[in-house]
Amino acid sequence: MSIDIETVEKLSLIKNIVGIKDASGELDYKAAVDIAYSRALYRLSQEGKKGAITVLDVAPKYLSEESYDSLLNFI
């Protein structure tokens, strides 16, 4: 069973959820996650952020195609 990327985006806004593990082996899902983190890195660079980061350093608002305010409306 897989969790769609939109659900992951919504779950990432909950403070008590710090990570998930995907063991589905679905390449489409992995590609969607890769795109989301590429988007996040682009947004961070546009804000002048530099240096090494981990996936835990990326705030959920940077991952979504939606604006942060529209994501908050889902909660």
Side-chain angles (χ1 to χ4, degrees):
M1 180 169 86
S2 294
I3 301 173
D4 60 70
I5 196 71
E6 291 82 15
T7 302
V8 173
E9 290 172 350
K10 292 173 191 173
L11 290 172
S12 68
L13 297 172
I14 301 171
K15 288 183 179 183
N16 293 346
I17 297 177
V18 295
I20 60 171
K21 180 177 178 6
D22 173 44
S24 69
E26 292 184 31
L27 296 180
D28 289 342
Y29 180 79
K30 182 187 178 317
V33 171
D34 288 347
I35 289 168
Y37 275 95
S38 295
R39 181 184 306 114
L41 292 175
Y42 174 78
R43 289 177 176 168
L44 288 166
S45 71
Q46 293 299 302
E47 292 181 0
K49 305 278 196 287
K50 296 181 180 181
I53 61 170
T54 69
V55 295
L56 297 176
D57 297 322
V58 178
K61 69 179 183 177
Y62 294 108
L63 298 171
S64 177
E65 291 181 56
E66 302 290 329
S67 71
Y68 185 64
D69 292 332
S70 67
L71 286 174
L72 291 175
N73 289 330
F74 288 119
I75 299 177

